[in-house]
Amino acid sequence: KNLILKEFVSNKVPHGQLFVGPEGSGQLPMALAFATYLFCLNRLDGDACGKCNSCAKMLKINHPDLHIFYPTIKTEAIEKVSKSKRCFPDFQKSILTNPYLNLSDWSRALGEGNKSGSIRVRDVIEIINISNLRSYEGNYKLFIIWCANTINEAASNKLLKIIEEPKPNTIFIF
């Protein structure tokens, strides 16, 4: 947290960040806390105010400049819509219930038996489309790519360019 705050104060927030640690150690809650701080309209000393309009949206995980992508199960032969966007209400409910959600709990919540989820090309196309737009309310667009290790090869190749050359004030957290 202190490193992230130091980077923010010095106006040197990296556009790509990797939050790693053992399962359950709080990577997703830290990413959400950073997003809340980033979007907060009345930052306090080292923390978000928790009361402004942006903080209220972040507490519900529905800020318009926060975009979360995560593993889903492929159910159609050809996906025309990002499943991360289509299934977001279920994921949102799961992380509001348990911000320390892990991949096996999420897989069980998907209810697709032994199938493992992944982040696919259709999700990355959505990331690229959103990244080309201006931020809606905040100064930043923030993408959280949860369980990034599940990105399939075709999707990771497509994502590489946008990570290497992001639009200004665009941040990716893996």
Side-chain angles (χ1 to χ4, degrees):
K1 177 182 173 183
N2 291 334
L3 176 62
I4 293 169
L5 290 173
K6 182 179 174 184
E7 291 170 343
F8 182 82
V9 169
S10 65
N11 202 26
K12 294 182 180 180
V13 176
H15 70 272
Q17 299 182 37
L18 182 61
F19 287 24
V20 294
E23 193 171 276
S25 64
Q27 301 93 324
L28 182 57
M30 180 57 78
L32 292 170
F34 175 57
T36 303
Y37 182 77
L38 201 64
F39 295 136
C40 182
L41 302 174
N42 303 309
R43 291 181 199 100
L44 305 172
D45 186 31
D47 211 348
C49 74
K51 298 176 183 174
C52 70
N53 191 33
S54 288
C55 285
K57 290 176 183 178
M58 283 303 301
L59 288 172
K60 296 176 185 174
I61 310 175
N62 67 0
H63 193 285
D65 294 320
L66 173 69
H67 308 280
I68 303 176
F69 290 83
Y70 50 89
T72 57
I73 305 293
K74 184 175 182 175
T75 54
E76 303 91 27
I78 299 174
E79 293 179 331
K80 297 181 180 180
V81 178
S82 163
K83 202 144 183 207
S84 283
K85 285 298 183 186
R86 190 173 64 203
C87 298
F88 184 71
D90 293 331
F91 187 73
Q92 179 185 33
K93 181 181 176 187
S94 292
I95 58 177
L96 284 170
T97 303
N98 177 15
Y100 293 88
L101 182 72
N102 63 42
L103 187 54
S104 56
D105 290 340
W106 174 238
S107 294
R108 273 193 300 281
L110 290 173
E112 293 290 334
N114 291 332
K115 294 181 182 178
S116 60
S118 65
I119 299 170
R120 293 177 298 286
V121 170
R122 195 66 219 157
D123 296 314
V124 173
I125 290 169
E126 187 71 18
I127 291 169
I128 293 167
N129 290 341
I130 293 168
S131 72
N132 285 319
L133 302 172
R134 288 188 359 212
S135 61
Y136 185 73
E137 284 183 12
N139 264 344
Y140 295 90
K141 280 183 295 198
L142 194 134
F143 294 88
I144 295 175
I145 302 176
W146 183 69
C147 294
N149 58 314
T150 66
I151 298 174
N152 70 30
E153 186 176 349
S156 65
N157 290 335
K158 200 164 203 56
L159 185 61
L160 190 57
K161 180 156 176 65
I162 196 74
I163 293 170
E164 289 176 340
E165 299 173 15
K167 300 288 183 189
N169 294 339
T170 301
I171 298 173
F172 293 93
I173 297 176
F174 299 92

